[in-house]
Amino acid sequence: EVKKNGKASHQIFSPELHHLVQQQNEFEQQLENALKGEEFFLTYQPVVCLKDRQVRGFEVLLRWQNEQLGLVSPERFIPLAEQKHLIQPIGRWVIKEALHRLAGIRQSLDDNSLYLNINLSPIQLHDDQLLKWLPDIIRETGISPSSVRFELTESALDADETVISSHLVALRKLGFRLYIDDFGTGYSSLKRLVEFPVDGVKIDRSFVHHMETDRNKQAMIEVIINMARLLNLHVVAEGVETEAQRLLLQEEGCRYAQGYLFARPLPEQDLRSLAGIPSEQGNWTLQAT
Ligand code: C2E
Ligand code: MG
Ligand code: MG
Ligand code: MG
């Protein structure tokens, strides 16, 4: 039913809305305290090579465990962190923590070539400070920047082309690798690929989902893979959940993949159990449990 303006405006003071606003304020406060309270931890999802069936690296995925709220999804708290300018300290913690952990991860999996994929928010990419403290972390940890791939969503590349472009070039100069995340979901994907100096793309999982039965999705994936080949870019498929998807992707020439078929994002202590998986046995479900 349609309401008149007068009626709608006095609804602003409804107890329900008041409660919602209060809840939101509380949530913000909790997020603000999360770093200090050491409530964040990192999980790692294997990136697998489809050809030799081996783990090549991990995507770092942030988790927030709060006493009252329980485990909060990054889909929920990252947008708020971006809005409240909390993403800079949080994002910095993620990079620092991940690079400090990499040596241990390499040791427990007995593979010094393992790399890390780290998600970078558009706000972090914009921030001049990023380029100032990154070299410090590199020195501190002794990890080569070439072992780190920053994942940028297409929307990160939307704004202010000159700033973005100069920051991307600077990151590349430091030796970091750059990937476009959730590729295919944004606008003018093609233009960006040619314009910005990136090393690869990650096919968004919405294209992989139900690709077995959806010819259009298969066609999209084929186009992305062929284009990437022509441009000399790496391709990683996200969200691979079934053996059929794995087979189709491999047939289409996709070389790397991530997804629940291989492993979920795992806490560091569970990565150890990935180490002994014998590739010869074709054991595709790299479940740690
Ligand atoms: P993303 O970077 O695209 O990460 C992939 C998401 O897909 C992750 O969700 C992952 O757990 C999930 N996923 C992986 N395999 C499968 C699968 O087979 N099926 C399905 N259905 N999902 C799968 P998650 O961990 O909830 O992260 C969500 C988003 O939050 C990430 O999307 C990323 O944009 C953001 N995010 C996570 N950690 C960070 C971070 O440290 N910094 C920033 N800026 N963003 C982060
Ligand atoms: Mg990502
Ligand atoms: Mg993604
Ligand atoms: Mg995403």
Side-chain angles (χ1 to χ4, degrees), residues 122 126 153-161 164 186-188 192 196:
H126 255 274
T153 53
E154 291 185 78
S155 62
L157 308 176
D158 267 343
D160 206 335
E161 265 177 49
I164 297 292
Y187 296 107
S188 59
R192 288 208 193 82
F196 295 118

Side-chain angles (χ1 to χ4, degrees), residues 44-104:
Y44 305 84
Q45 186 179 38
V47 180
V48 173
C49 173
L50 290 176
K51 214 178 208 162
D52 63 16
R53 308 182 169 203
Q54 301 274 332
V55 176
R56 289 299 159 87
F58 299 95
E59 177 172 5
V60 175
L61 293 158
L62 181 60
R63 296 290 178 262
W64 177 23
Q65 176 73 53
N66 176 273
E67 185 123 54
Q68 280 110 54
L69 300 166
L71 191 62
V72 190
S73 160
E75 311 265 19
R76 236 189 114 201
F77 70 80
I78 295 281
L80 183 66
E82 290 177 332
Q83 217 179 308
K84 297 289 159 192
H85 293 282
L86 294 168
I87 195 67
Q88 286 99 328
I90 293 173
R92 182 175 168 160
W93 179 84
V94 168
I95 295 171
K96 207 170 161 166
E97 175 79 0
L99 293 199
H100 273 286
R101 298 280 176 157
L102 182 57

Side-chain angles (χ1 to χ4, degrees), residues 183 190 193 203 216-230 235 252:
F183 187 76
L190 274 175
L193 269 194
I203 300 175
N216 290 339
K217 288 185 179 182
Q218 281 178 41
M220 273 295 295
I221 288 175
E222 227 177 297
V223 167
I224 294 174
I225 291 169
N226 287 332
M227 178 186 59
R229 189 183 296 122
L230 290 171
V235 180
E252 280 164 19

Side-chain angles (χ1 to χ4, degrees), residues 45 59-63 73-75 78 82 87 94 118-121 124 151 153 181-182 205 238-241 258-261 263 265:
Q45 186 179 38
E59 177 172 5
V60 175
L61 293 158
L62 181 60
R63 296 290 178 262
S73 160
E75 311 265 19
I78 295 281
E82 290 177 332
I87 195 67
V94 168
I118 301 179
N119 293 286
L120 209 58
S121 151
Q124 287 177 280
E151 297 189 4
T153 53
D181 203 357
D182 305 342
R205 72 177 135 95
E238 288 190 311
V240 180
E241 293 182 353
Q258 276 173 260
Y260 296 165
L261 176 66

Side-chain angles (χ1 to χ4, degrees), residues 9-203:
S9 65
H10 95 240
Q11 278 204 330
I12 286 173
F13 305 104
S14 76
E16 290 90 350
L17 200 56
H18 181 74
H19 180 69
L20 268 178
V21 170
Q22 221 169 18
Q23 241 180 4
Q24 183 65 17
N25 287 341
E26 205 179 316
F27 187 62
E28 275 173 40
Q29 198 57 52
Q30 283 159 325
L31 183 60
E32 242 177 82
N33 294 331
L35 256 189
K36 248 196 341 242
E38 299 183 7
E39 295 170 19
F40 290 118
F41 67 98
L42 300 180
T43 60
Y44 305 84
Q45 186 179 38
V47 180
V48 173
C49 173
L50 290 176
K51 214 178 208 162
D52 63 16
R53 308 182 169 203
Q54 301 274 332
V55 176
R56 289 299 159 87
F58 299 95
E59 177 172 5
V60 175
L61 293 158
L62 181 60
R63 296 290 178 262
W64 177 23
Q65 176 73 53
N66 176 273
E67 185 123 54
Q68 280 110 54
L69 300 166
L71 191 62
V72 190
S73 160
E75 311 265 19
R76 236 189 114 201
F77 70 80
I78 295 281
L80 183 66
E82 290 177 332
Q83 217 179 308
K84 297 289 159 192
H85 293 282
L86 294 168
I87 195 67
Q88 286 99 328
I90 293 173
R92 182 175 168 160
W93 179 84
V94 168
I95 295 171
K96 207 170 161 166
E97 175 79 0
L99 293 199
H100 273 286
R101 298 280 176 157
L102 182 57
I105 292 171
R106 284 174 164 175
Q107 199 178 16
S108 65
L109 275 85
D110 193 25
D111 181 350
N112 274 323
S113 67
L114 290 168
Y115 53 74
L116 290 180
N117 282 30
I118 301 179
N119 293 286
L120 209 58
S121 151
I123 294 172
Q124 287 177 280
L125 181 62
H126 255 274
D127 189 0
D128 291 323
Q129 294 303 313
L130 175 75
L131 293 160
K132 301 216 170 82
W133 54 257
L134 269 176
D136 295 336
I137 293 184
I138 287 302
R139 260 192 306 277
E140 230 174 86
T141 56
I143 298 292
S144 161
S146 64
S147 305
V148 179
R149 306 158 156 213
F150 286 122
E151 297 189 4
L152 311 150
T153 53
E154 291 185 78
S155 62
L157 308 176
D158 267 343
D160 206 335
E161 265 177 49
T162 43
V163 176
I164 297 292
S165 195
S166 80
H167 285 189
L168 291 179
V169 168
L171 285 172
R172 268 287 205 79
K173 266 204 185 123
L174 286 172
F176 293 101
R177 304 284 149 84
L178 306 175
Y179 279 66
I180 300 185
D181 203 357
D182 305 342
F183 187 76
T185 58
Y187 296 107
S188 59
S189 309
L190 274 175
K191 180 165 166 269
R192 288 208 193 82
L193 269 194
V194 188
E195 239 163 53
F196 295 118
V198 296
D199 299 279
V201 297
K202 298 185 73 175
I203 300 175

